[in-house]
Amino acid sequence: MMNWETGLKRGPFSDQQVKTLNELLPGMDSGQVQWLSGFLSGASLLSADQPLQVAQVSSPRLLSNDGNPVWILYGTHTGNSERLANVSAKRIEDLGIAAKISDMGSFKVKELRNIKRLLIIVSTHGIGEPPIQASELYEYLHSSKAPELKQLEYSVLALGDTAYTQFCQTGKDFDGVLAKLGAQRICERVDCDVDFEDDYTRWMEGNLAAIAPSFQSGNVPAAPIQPTIVGKANPIYNRKHPFGATVSKKINLNGRHSSKETIHLELDLSNSGLRYEPGDSLGVYASNSNRLIEPILNTLHFTGEEPVDTYKGKKTLLEALTTDYELTPLTSVSLNRYAELTGSTRLGKILNDNTAVVEYLYGRDVFDLIREVPFKMAPEVFISLLRKNSPRMYSIASSQNAVDDEVHILASVVRYEAYGRYKEGHCTSFLAGRIDEDDQLKVFVDANSRFKLPLDPDMPVIMVGAGTGVAPYRAFIQQRGIQEAPGKSWLFFGERNFTTDFYYQTEWLQYLKEGTLTRADVAFSRDQAKKVYVQHRMLEQGKELFKWLEEGAHFYVCGDAQKMAKDVDHALKEIIQTQGGMTWEKAEEYVKYLQVTDRYQADIY
Amino acid sequence: MMSNATGAEVSQEEHIKEDSNFLRGTIVAGLDNPLTGSLTADDAKMVKFHGSYQQHDRDLEKERKKQKLEPLYQFMLRVRAAGGITSPAQWLVLDELAEKYGNGTMKLTTRQSFQFHGIMKRNLKATIKAINETLMTTIATCGDVNRNVMCNPNPYESRVHGEVYAWAGKLSDYFQPKTRAYFEIWLDQEKVAGAADNEPLYHATYLPRKFKIAFAIPPHNDIDLFANDLGFIVIEEKGKLKGFNVCVGGGMGMTFGDEHTYPRLADVIGFIRPDEIVEVAETIIGIQRDYGNRLNRKNARLKYTIDVQGLPWFIAELAHRRNKPLLPALPYHFKTNGDQYGWLKGTNGKWFYTLFVEHGRVKDREGYTLKKAIRAIAALNRGDLRLTGNQNLIIGNISPEDKKDIEKILNDHGVLNNPQNTALRLNSMACVALNTCGLAFAESERYLPSLIDKLDVILRDNGLEKEAINIRMTGCPNGCARSSLGEIGFIGRAIGQYNLYLGASHNGDRLNTLYKEMLSEAEILQALEPILVSYAAEKLAGEHFGDYVHRKNIVQDKRKTGLKQLS
Ligand code: SRM
Ligand SMILES: Cc1cc2nc3c(=O)[nH]c(=O)nc-3n(C[C@H](O)[C@H](O)[C@H](O)COP(=O)(O)OP(=O)(O)OC[C@H]3O[C@@H](n4cnc5c(N)ncnc54)[C@H](O)[C@@H]3O)c2cc1C
Ligand SMILES: Cc1cc2nc3c(=O)[nH]c(=O)nc-3n(C[C@H](O)[C@H](O)[C@H](O)COP(=O)(O)O)c2cc1C
Ligand code: SF4
C-alpha cells in the first residue's frame, strides 16, 4: 500500500495539514479516494488561492427563487466541460440558487421529468461524436423512448474546435433534440472554439440573467477557469497568458531513414509556478512560416507592412499573420465567411453539402482557398476570415516529480502533399523547423482529470499507445518509478519500424530491467509483410490481459482516435468476451463499467 | 577467473561454452525477444559458432544514444565455401539475400568466405535458412572451432588442383562441430529423441580458440599459408599429388602493449602422404584442444601453445600421439602471395578470369556496377565463381566461346579494365573495420582506396606505376587482412592514425617490421615518399619493395622465430 504520510509530505502541506490528512485518508477505500480526487480537482478550480469552500458545492442552499435546483449536466472527454460545469455551479450558488451537477454518464434518465432548469455543457469528440460518457444520454434522447420535456427550460454550451469540420456537433444535437422534445431555451446555444473562456462567460451571464433577475452582468467576478495552481508571488500562466518556456533539449527520436519525424522536446518551466500531473497535456502556441505567408501576401498584393487592428491590438499585417492567426489547416468557419464575402457559387454549393465540406477542407489551407476563389479585399477583411492562432495540445511525457522544473513532450511532425503543394502542420513544422534549443516556446498546462494513474499504486496498469500515444506512459512510468509503486505495469507500443521508430526504447529497456515496467509488447507494422498493430498484440495476450483486468488493472489508450482507439476498444471487448466467456453485450457492459469507474481512460486525438 | 569442472582455472568464455548445452545457450528465446535487436552477451558469443557476429553500426552509435534508441544492432553472417567455390545458382541466392536482408553488399573475405553485414535479428533465421537451402552453410565459420579450410583457387597451373580441393573440402566437413544445435535453431529440425549431443573431437568446451587450416599449391601462396594454425604445402611429383609439407603455428593477431602477443609465421615441421592428412590434422587439433591456454584467450592460439611448450616438444607430442614421426619436409618454392589478374587457361582447357574486387566489397557504385555485373554473369549459368584469399573473384571454368559474353558484361558495367586499378591497388588488401567491426580503432576498407589514390601519384611520378607492391591495412592489430605480411603494412591505432610497417616478403614468408608509429595521412605520405623515390632509383632488377627496404636497412627484422618472444 501507498505510504500516505511520506507522499503528503512531498506535497505543499504544512505539518499540521499532513497530520490531519493522514488521519483521514488511509482509512478510505479506493472508491472513496477516487471520488474525492475527482471532486477536489474540480473544486481546486475555484480556489486559486482562497481556502476551499467544500460545503458550498455539496449542499444546495435554500435560497433558490422557486425551490427547484438548477441542474448542470456535462459530457466531457478531456475535462474541459467538467471544469466549466463546476465553475457554473459555484456561480449559481453564489447567487443563492441551488445547483445540482452530474456527469452525463452517471445521470439517471428518469430524473429528466423532474428537472425544471437544465444547463448542458458538452464537447464533441471523434469525428463529430459525443464523448463516450455522454453517448448513452445522447442516444436515449434521440430514441423513441425519449419523453416529452415540456416542463424543461434549458441552455447548451457546446465545446469544440473549429479545426474539425463537425464543429460542436454534439452540442448542436443536444440543443436540437431538446427543442424537439418540447423544452424551451433559457438562452441561445453558444458554440465555443478551443479558446472557450470568453464565449463561456457570455453564455453563463446570459443564463444567470435569466435565472436570477437580480443578476447583473459583471457583479460577480468571473471565476478562474484554468485549473492552474500557482504560488502567490508568481504570475498566472494559462491558455490566455502562456509561459515562455526555454527549450533545453530538442531531439528527433526517429533513427535515420525513418519514414517519420518525431520531436522530443524538453522545456524549462523554472519560475513559472506551473504544475502538472502525468496524464495532463501541454498547450503550445506556434507561429506561421514565411513559406506560407509570402505566397499569400503576394497573391493578395499585400506588402505585409499594412497596419491592421487585431484582437491583440494594432500590428503590421505580417506580424499578425505570423503570430496571431492560423493559415493552416483551412477551417469550416473560414470557408463559411469567405463564401459569404465572395458570394462564390462554387463555395456556396460545397457549403450546402456536409460531405462536400469535409472533402473540400481536407488537405487545404488558406492559400488554396484564395487561389481557387480569387477575391480582392482589404488586409483587415482578410484577417477577419482567419481563425485565431490556437494552441496545439501535446500529452506530457514526463513526471514533474522526476524532472523537476522541466516538462517533456513528443510531437509527430505533420507533412504531406496536397493540391499540388507540399504542406506541413502549423505547430509541428514550427517545432521541427523554426524553433531550436535555447529558444522560447509559449506554453500552458492543460489538465486532464480523465487520464490519470490509479491513486492506489498497487493497482496494475495496462497502457496501450501507438506512435506519440506512448508519451503519457513515459510520464506514468517515471511517476510510478519515483513512487516505487508496487503495482504491475504493461506497455503495448506500436509504430512503423522497430529499428527507427521505437520511441524511448533505451528507457523502456532500463525500466524493464529494473522492474518498474513489468512487461512490454510491441507491434511494428511495416517490419513484415503482414501489418501488425497494437490490438493484434493485445489479442495474442488476451488471456493474460483479461487476468490483469480481473485483478483490477486500469486500462489506458492513447494516440490516434480515428482508427487505433477504435480497434483497441474492439480488441478489448473481444478479449473480455472470449476470456470471460460472455456475450458481446455483456462484454460491452463490462467495458462500460470499467469506464464509469475510471478504469478505462482514453487520451486520443 | 574461475575454474572448470576439473578444477583448473579457466576464463569466463569457457564456462559459457560448457553451460551452453552444445552451443544452444538461450539463442532461441533471444531471437524471439522483440524489444531489442540484440542477443544476450552470452548468446552473442554462442552465435559465433553458428556463423554470426552481433555487431552494431558504429557510425550511428552516438546519434542513436541521443535518440534514446539502442545501438543499431545487426548481425554479420559468414558463409563458408570450402576452397571458395560456388555455383552460379548459389551466387544468385547470396546476391539476393544481400539485398533482401543485408546491407545490399557482399564482402569476399581474406579467407575465401562470403560475409553479409547488417542483417537484423528478426531476419537472421530466414537468411541462414535460405543459405542452407542452397546447400551452403554458416556453421563454424566463426567460434572456437576449425574454420573454413582455405585452398589455392588457381587450378590452371596444376593438375592436382582437383584432388587438393577435395581434401580441403573433406577436412572442412570433417571438423565441423557435431552438435545438432545449429539444425534445431536455424533449420527447425526436430530434437532427436534420446540422442545426446556428442563432440568426439571438440568435447563440450570446444577449442580454446579459433583454428585455421589452409592448403597452398606452389608456386602460389595466394592464401598466405604461413598465417594459419595448420598449413599444408602441396608437393607434386610428375603431375601427381605426392603429399604435403606440414606447417604449424601461424597467426597474425596481436594486442598493442601486450608483448606476449605477436604475429607469427608457421613452422614447416615435416612431410606426410595424402592418406595421412585427416589423422594428422585431427591429432594436431587434439593437442591444441588439450594444451591450449584456456585461461587467457589472448594467448590461446596454437602459435602460443607451441611457443610456450617449445616446437621440439610439439613435434615429439605429435609423434607420440601418432606412434610415428613425420617424414622430413620436401623442398618447395613460393613466388608470390598475390593473385594473377585477367584470363588464364586452366589445365582442363577451360578459362579462368581473375577479377579485382577492391577489398572484397561487392557492391554497385556510379559507373562501376560490380554487383550487377557478377549477377548477370551468374545468370548465364556457365562455369563457377571462386573466391581468392586476396578478397578477389575468379570467374572459372569458362569455355573459350563464352569468354566474349563475360567480357561484354564486365565492360557494360564499367568493371573491365578500370583505369583506377593501378598495380598498387591490384595488390592491396584491407579488412572490414568501421562501421561494423566492433574491434576497429580506425578505418580500413573505407579509407585505403583514397590513400592509394595519393600514393599512386607518388608512384607515377617515379615511374613505379607498374610495380606490384603488396600493401595491406587493418583497422586494428588483429590482422584480418594479414597486414603483417604487407610489403607496406598499416595497422590502425586511432581514428586517422596508423602504425606503418615495412618489409614483408612478396611471397608471404617474412613478416614486416614496425617503421613508424601513430602517423596521420600527411605523415604517412611524408614517410613513404623518400623511400619510394629511392626505391625507384636504386632497386635491383626484379627486386621487390619488401626486399629493398631490408637491403637498405630501412627496417631490420630482429625476429628469428617467435620462440624468443615469449619470456
Ligand atoms: C572478414 C575478415 C576480414 C576481411 O576483410 O576479409 C575478418 C573480419 C573480422 N575478424 Fe578476422 N577476419 C578475417 C580474416 C582474418 C585473418 C586472415 C586469415 O585468417 O588468413 C586473421 C589473421 C590470422 C589469424 O587468425 O591470426 C584474422 C584475425 C582475427 C583476430 C585475431 C585472432 C588472434 O588470435 O590473434 C580477431 C579477434 C579475435 O579473434 O578475438 C578477428 C576478428 C574478426 C571480427 C569477427 C571482429 C570480431 O571479433 O568482432 C571481424 C569482423 C569484421 C566485420 O565487420 O566483418 N580476426 N581474421 C576475414 C574473414 C575471414 C573468414 O572468411 O573467415
Ligand atoms: C489531448 C490531445 C493530446 C495530444 N497529444 C499529442 C502528442 O502527444 N503528440 C502529438 O504529436 N500530437 C498530439 N496531439 C495532436 C496535436 O495537438 C496536433 O493536432 C498535431 O500535432 C498536429 O498539429 P499541427 O499544428 O502540426 O497540424 P495542423 O496544422 O493542425 O494540421 C493538421 C491537419 O492537417 C491535415 N492533414 C494532416 N495530414 C494530412 C494528409 N496526409 N493529407 C491531407 N491532410 C492532412 C488534417 O486536416 C489535419 O487535421 C494531441 C491532441 C490532443 C487534443
Ligand atoms: C480526438 C478529438 C476529436 C475531436 N473532434 C471534434 C469534433 O469533431 N468537432 C469539434 O467541434 N471538436 C472536436 N474536438 C475538440 C474538443 O471538443 C475540444 O477540445 C473540447 O474543448 C474538449 O472538451 P472536453 O475536455 O470537455 O472533452 C475534438 C477533440 C479531440 C481530442
Ligand atoms: S583487423 Fe581488426 S579492425 Fe580489421 S576486421 Fe579484423 S578485427 Fe576488425
Side-chain angles (χ1 to χ4, degrees):
Chain A
M1 268 304 286
M2 177 168 167
N3 184 336
W4 287 97
E5 195 168 348
T6 34
L8 288 164
K9 273 188 182 151
R10 278 199 225 107
F13 302 114
S14 69
D15 287 353
Q16 184 54 42
Q17 285 172 322
V18 168
K19 193 162 162 273
T20 316
L21 288 167
N22 194 41
E23 275 165 20
L24 198 62
L25 293 174
M28 295 188 179
D29 66 30
S30 66
Q32 288 172 318
V33 170
Q34 193 95 40
W35 184 91
L36 194 60
S37 107
F39 170 74
L40 286 175
S41 78
S44 70
L45 304 168
L46 313 174
S47 74
D49 271 322
Q50 314 145 16
L52 274 183
Q53 295 181 334
V54 172
Q56 283 191 2
V57 185
S58 56
S59 66
R61 282 185 267 160
L62 294 173
L63 292 167
S64 61
N65 49 357
D66 60 3
N68 283 313
V70 176
W71 273 78
I72 305 170
L73 279 181
Y74 63 88
T76 188
H77 192 74
T78 52
N80 290 339
S81 307
E82 180 180 20
R83 217 142 63 213
L84 294 179
N86 281 319
V87 172
S88 307
K90 159 114 170 81
R91 295 194 65 177
I92 291 168
E93 293 190 329
D94 282 351
L95 293 176
I97 300 169
K100 275 201 153 191
I101 177 165
S102 171
D103 70 273
M104 292 183 176
S106 37
F107 177 72
K108 302 271 178 302
V109 287
K110 57 178 193 297
E111 278 279 0
L112 266 178
R113 289 176 193 283
N114 307 325
I115 297 177
K116 290 275 165 344
R117 276 190 302 228
L118 172 64
L119 304 185
I120 283 189
I121 304 178
V122 70
S123 62
T124 301
H125 280 269
I127 310 162
E129 292 152 34
I132 293 169
Q133 49 147 241
S135 58
E136 215 167 346
L137 180 65
Y138 180 94
E139 277 154 27
Y140 173 76
L141 289 176
H142 284 86
S143 74
S144 54
K145 289 191 218 135
E148 271 217 333
L149 294 171
K150 287 226 158 72
Q151 90 291 353
L152 184 68
E153 286 178 30
Y154 75 99
S155 166
V156 174
L157 182 74
L159 294 197
D161 181 340
T162 48
Y164 292 91
T165 337
Q166 317 238 32
F167 175 55
C168 288
Q169 193 56 48
T170 304
K172 291 175 184 165
D173 291 347
F174 269 108
D175 189 34
V177 77
L178 288 174
K180 216 181 93 199
L181 296 173
Q184 309 295 314
R185 289 190 183 86
I186 299 170
C187 63
E188 286 302 307
R189 183 188 79 237
V190 170
D191 297 336
C192 309
D193 201 351
V194 282
D195 52 345
F196 46 72
E197 283 86 351
D198 295 348
D199 286 331
Y200 162 73
T201 308
R202 185 162 60 84
W203 175 77
M204 195 59 202
E205 296 199 345
N207 283 312
L208 291 176
I211 296 166
S214 63
F215 172 80
Q216 275 181 2
S217 171
N219 70 354
V220 179
I225 293 165
Q226 279 300 312
T228 323
I229 301 165
V230 290
K232 274 205 171 63
N234 290 318
I236 299 167
Y237 294 114
N238 55 32
R239 183 186 287 267
K240 276 221 154 127
H241 306 284
F243 174 69
T246 306
V247 178
S248 50
K249 213 177 242 174
K250 173 180 160 181
I251 312 164
N252 174 14
L253 293 190
N254 294 105
R256 289 200 194 183
H257 312 304
S258 172
S259 56
K260 311 214 71 168
E261 182 179 353
T262 312
I263 311 277
H264 168 83
L265 278 183
E266 299 184 2
L267 307 173
D268 187 353
L269 294 182
S270 298
N271 304 320
S272 69
L274 287 173
R275 306 288 309 164
Y276 62 85
E277 282 176 30
D280 291 346
S281 294
L282 192 75
V284 176
Y285 283 94
S287 56
N288 283 304
S289 82
N290 285 335
R291 268 196 64 244
L292 189 51
I293 297 175
E294 261 171 36
I296 290 176
L297 289 178
N298 291 342
T299 307
L300 296 174
H301 304 291
F302 297 149
T303 63
E305 296 305 315
E306 297 84 350
V308 282
D309 259 330
T310 75
Y311 67 103
K312 289 254 179 99
K314 277 205 184 311
K315 303 208 167 181
T316 68
L317 179 62
L318 180 62
E319 281 165 355
L321 291 183
T322 306
T323 56
D324 303 331
Y325 295 94
E326 287 187 13
L327 300 170
T328 186
L330 185 61
T331 67
S332 57
V333 177
S334 298
L335 182 63
N336 261 308
R337 290 182 193 154
Y338 196 61
E340 225 167 89
L341 178 71
T342 58
S344 153
T345 44
R346 175 176 169 213
L347 296 182
K349 232 160 120 195
I350 290 167
L351 282 164
N352 278 336
D353 174 357
N354 242 336
T355 50
V357 172
V358 175
E359 225 168 78
Y360 186 81
L361 293 178
Y362 187 71
R364 278 193 170 83
D365 56 21
V366 171
F367 184 38
D368 290 321
L369 183 67
I370 59 164
R371 261 196 329 169
E372 287 171 24
V373 182
F375 187 77
K376 199 164 161 46
M377 58 194 141
E380 251 154 42
V381 174
F382 176 57
I383 275 185
S384 74
L385 300 170
L386 303 176
R387 183 186 200 223
K388 286 189 213 165
N389 190 10
S390 310
R392 302 292 190 266
M393 298 302 151
Y394 296 92
S395 313
I396 290 175
S398 55
S399 155
Q400 206 158 18
N401 292 327
V403 301
D404 291 328
D405 280 337
E406 290 176 7
V407 63
H408 303 180
I409 56 170
L410 183 64
S412 169
V413 183
V414 173
R415 301 185 197 279
Y416 56 96
E417 180 91 33
Y419 299 99
R421 278 174 44 233
Y422 161 77
K423 291 180 173 139
E424 0 177 81
H426 169 71
C427 187
T428 51
S429 71
F430 172 73
L431 297 179
R434 304 197 285 286
I435 196 109
D436 227 322
E437 284 176 9
D438 300 329
D439 290 345
Q440 279 202 349
L441 206 58
K442 286 187 187 158
V443 303
F444 61 93
V445 170
D446 192 38
N448 182 352
S449 59
R450 312 206 59 84
F451 200 76
K452 285 283 164 283
L453 274 170
L455 277 177
D456 180 351
D458 278 331
M459 283 296 137
V461 293
I462 301 171
M463 305 168 288
V464 183
T468 50
V470 79
Y473 305 139
R474 183 170 179 264
F476 278 17
I477 290 297
Q478 281 185 357
Q479 175 84 353
R480 298 262 281 198
I482 294 266
Q483 286 180 339
E484 294 180 13
K488 297 189 287 184
S489 54
W490 187 351
L491 175 73
F492 286 91
F493 172 70
E495 244 300 350
R496 287 182 183 164
N497 296 104
F498 166 80
T499 304
T500 53
D501 310 336
F502 193 168
Y503 308 134
Y504 306 116
Q505 180 188 25
T506 51
E507 295 185 2
W508 301 124
L509 291 175
Q510 184 60 26
Y511 284 130
L512 281 166
K513 210 158 121 196
E514 289 165 4
T516 314
L517 182 62
T518 314
R519 57 177 297 181
D521 285 275
V522 288
F524 293 98
S525 59
R526 301 194 178 179
D527 278 344
Q528 59 283 308
K530 206 176 133 250
K531 295 255 160 96
V532 183
Y533 298 107
V534 278
Q535 65 269 20
H536 299 123
R537 294 288 180 245
M538 285 170 60
L539 289 166
E540 281 165 23
Q541 304 296 334
K543 189 165 174 206
E544 185 68 10
L545 200 149
F546 186 66
K547 205 175 123 216
W548 282 49
L549 288 177
E550 291 284 279
E551 288 166 9
H554 288 229
F555 184 90
Y556 302 88
V557 57
C558 179
D560 170 60
Q562 304 260 351
K563 187 124 180 50
M564 191 265 312
K566 292 188 177 107
D567 293 340
V568 165
D569 185 75
H570 195 270
L572 182 65
K573 287 171 184 159
E574 212 175 310
I575 287 167
I576 292 164
Q577 183 192 24
T578 346
Q579 301 297 331
M582 31 182 124
T583 61
W584 185 255
E585 290 68 34
K586 281 271 177 256
E588 283 188 316
E589 263 174 47
Y590 190 111
V591 165
K592 181 93 201 167
Y593 169 78
L594 291 178
Q595 274 162 350
V596 297
T597 52
D598 285 339
R599 279 179 52 207
Y600 176 10
Q601 301 191 331
D603 176 19
I604 53 179
Y605 42 87
Chain B
M1 297 301 144
M2 332 192 134
S3 51
N4 71 357
T6 63
E9 262 190 79
V10 297
S11 68
Q12 176 66 29
E13 272 84 352
E14 293 297 317
H15 288 278
I16 297 171
K17 285 189 268 181
E18 189 162 5
D19 298 342
S20 74
N21 182 19
F22 293 96
L23 309 180
R24 286 175 182 80
T26 55
I27 292 173
V28 171
L31 290 174
D32 281 346
N33 179 357
L35 301 174
T36 170
S38 69
L39 296 171
T40 66
D42 287 2
D43 285 339
K45 295 206 162 90
M46 278 312 102
V47 83
K48 293 183 187 182
F49 288 81
H50 302 253
S52 185
Y53 279 77
Q54 178 174 311
Q55 307 181 316
H56 62 268
D57 187 333
R58 292 182 59 189
D59 289 348
L60 304 182
E61 202 166 345
K62 277 210 195 96
E63 170 178 316
R64 286 180 63 93
K65 187 165 182 188
K66 203 175 151 220
Q67 292 178 311
K68 302 173 190 289
L69 292 167
E70 70 177 10
L72 183 45
Y73 289 113
Q74 50 185 40
F75 289 78
M76 177 268 268
L77 193 59
R78 205 176 267 169
V79 184
R80 65 158 75 209
I85 303 185
T86 55
S87 70
Q90 286 172 325
W91 182 282
L92 290 174
V93 171
L94 298 181
D95 178 273
E96 195 195 324
L97 287 174
E99 303 288 336
K100 192 165 171 199
Y101 297 125
N103 68 357
T105 76
M106 288 191 280
K107 170 95 177 174
L108 314 184
T109 74
T110 55
R111 288 194 71 79
Q112 299 176 292
S113 310
F114 294 92
Q115 274 184 199
F116 296 112
H117 288 103
I119 301 174
M120 294 296 130
K121 184 176 81 172
R122 62 176 179 275
N123 294 326
L124 190 56
K125 185 166 171 172
T127 313
I128 293 180
K129 245 187 166 158
I131 288 166
N132 278 271
E133 276 160 14
T134 188
L135 303 179
M136 301 181 86
T137 182
T138 65
I139 194 169
T141 49
C142 324
D144 299 340
V145 286
N146 176 55
R147 303 290 185 82
N148 177 38
V149 175
M150 289 176 87
C151 173
N152 180 308
N154 296 330
Y156 36 82
E157 283 185 29
S158 165
R159 293 179 194 288
V160 300
H161 181 270
E163 222 176 321
V164 174
Y165 174 73
W167 280 118
K170 179 151 190 185
L171 289 194
S172 191
D173 292 346
Y174 188 82
F175 294 124
Q176 278 186 22
K178 303 285 180 274
T179 170
R180 302 284 306 154
Y182 185 85
F183 305 93
E184 288 167 19
I185 295 173
W186 310 106
L187 307 178
D188 293 324
Q189 294 187 10
E190 294 291 318
K191 265 204 164 81
V192 183
D197 280 302
N198 185 21
E199 293 283 11
L201 173 60
Y202 292 132
H203 303 172
T205 51
Y206 295 81
L207 295 180
R209 207 63 165 84
K210 61 176 76 161
F211 195 89
K212 297 177 171 178
I213 302 179
F215 288 78
I217 309 176
H220 298 289
N221 185 23
D222 45 12
I223 46 75
D224 269 330
L225 188 93
F226 300 111
N228 287 269
D229 294 274
L230 175 57
F232 296 106
I233 303 172
V234 172
I235 306 293
E236 277 181 68
E237 200 174 63
K238 297 185 190 119
K240 286 182 112 176
L241 180 63
K242 180 178 168 79
F244 306 96
N245 278 352
V246 180
C247 317
V248 293
M252 295 284 100
M254 64 163 178
T255 303
F256 285 131
D258 180 350
E259 59 179 20
H260 296 303
T261 65
Y262 43 82
R264 183 189 191 280
L265 296 186
D267 295 295
V268 183
I269 59 169
F271 173 81
I272 55 169
R273 290 191 322 273
D275 61 349
E276 293 175 296
I277 194 167
V278 174
E279 172 250 323
V280 165
E282 187 165 16
T283 310
I284 289 172
I285 293 174
I287 296 173
Q288 164 64 356
R289 175 197 63 214
D290 298 340
Y291 288 92
N293 188 334
R294 288 189 188 259
L295 181 58
N296 179 2
R297 288 181 66 81
K298 287 196 183 312
N299 283 125
R301 291 291 289 275
L302 179 63
K303 62 182 175 181
Y304 303 113
T305 313
I306 289 174
D307 280 353
V308 167
Q309 307 277 351
L311 187 61
W313 170 87
F314 182 83
I315 293 168
E317 177 68 17
L318 179 61
H320 171 71
R321 290 196 179 202
R322 298 181 63 231
N323 273 324
K324 61 178 169 189
L326 299 174
L327 298 168
L330 295 178
Y332 63 91
H333 174 65
F334 285 129
K335 253 181 15 207
T336 160
N337 60 355
D339 288 338
Q340 299 172 62
Y341 294 100
W343 286 113
L344 284 166
K345 191 173 179 184
T347 49
N348 60 355
K350 301 264 182 160
W351 288 83
F352 296 78
Y353 186 87
T354 304
L355 177 68
F356 173 66
V357 178
E358 192 164 39
H359 311 329
R361 189 63 72 173
V362 179
K363 64 172 180 195
D364 294 327
R365 49 166 212 258
E366 189 77 42
Y368 190 84
T369 44
L370 176 66
K371 188 157 184 281
K372 287 202 180 82
I374 306 174
R375 185 190 306 152
I377 289 169
L380 294 177
N381 199 18
R382 296 180 199 148
D384 53 34
L385 295 151
R386 300 164 176 243
L387 311 189
T388 80
N390 289 313
Q391 305 175 314
N392 294 318
L393 183 73
I394 298 176
I395 302 157
N397 272 319
I398 299 298
S399 312
E401 64 273 19
D402 291 337
K403 280 172 69 185
K404 281 259 162 327
D405 295 346
I406 306 287
E407 279 175 17
K408 178 167 185 337
I409 292 173
L410 292 175
N411 197 42
D412 289 350
H413 289 270
V415 175
L416 198 69
N417 302 327
N418 190 301
Q420 282 195 325
N421 292 342
T422 58
L424 187 65
R425 199 179 301 277
L426 292 172
N427 283 282
S428 67
M429 279 215 285
C431 74
V432 180
L434 296 171
N435 60 333
T436 55
C437 179
L439 306 176
F441 299 139
E443 296 282 355
S444 180
E445 178 191 324
R446 300 196 297 191
Y447 168 58
L448 186 58
S450 68
L451 181 62
I452 288 179
D453 289 342
K454 291 172 184 143
L455 288 171
D456 268 339
V457 175
I458 300 177
L459 292 178
R460 218 177 304 124
D461 290 349
N462 291 282
L464 291 172
E465 64 269 24
K466 295 252 157 65
E467 208 58 43
I469 302 173
N470 192 332
I471 179 170
R472 296 177 174 186
M473 177 178 276
T474 57
C476 85
N478 282 323
C480 296
R482 299 186 288 271
S483 39
S484 298
L485 283 170
E487 294 178 270
I488 301 173
F490 297 99
I491 297 186
R493 292 290 301 264
I495 298 294
Q497 295 200 300
Y498 296 84
N499 283 2
L500 171 59
Y501 300 76
L502 298 174
S505 61
H506 196 71
N507 68 358
D509 67 358
R510 180 181 65 233
L511 295 169
N512 56 22
T513 304
L514 179 63
Y515 178 63
K516 281 198 165 142
E517 284 189 86
M518 298 289 278
L519 304 185
S520 66
E521 178 171 273
E523 290 165 335
I524 289 170
L525 296 173
Q526 235 170 49
L528 280 176
E529 178 153 22
I531 304 177
L532 290 167
V533 169
S534 73
Y535 173 59
E538 299 171 34
K539 80 186 187 71
L540 306 175
E543 186 178 32
H544 288 294
F545 182 74
D547 298 333
Y548 171 79
V549 293
H550 275 285
R551 181 167 65 80
K552 287 285 176 178
N553 280 326
I554 294 169
V555 290
Q556 290 132 19
D557 187 3
K558 296 192 199 74
R559 288 166 296 200
K560 286 293 170 274
T561 72
L563 266 173
K564 300 229 169 61
Q565 304 207 357
L566 206 66
S567 48

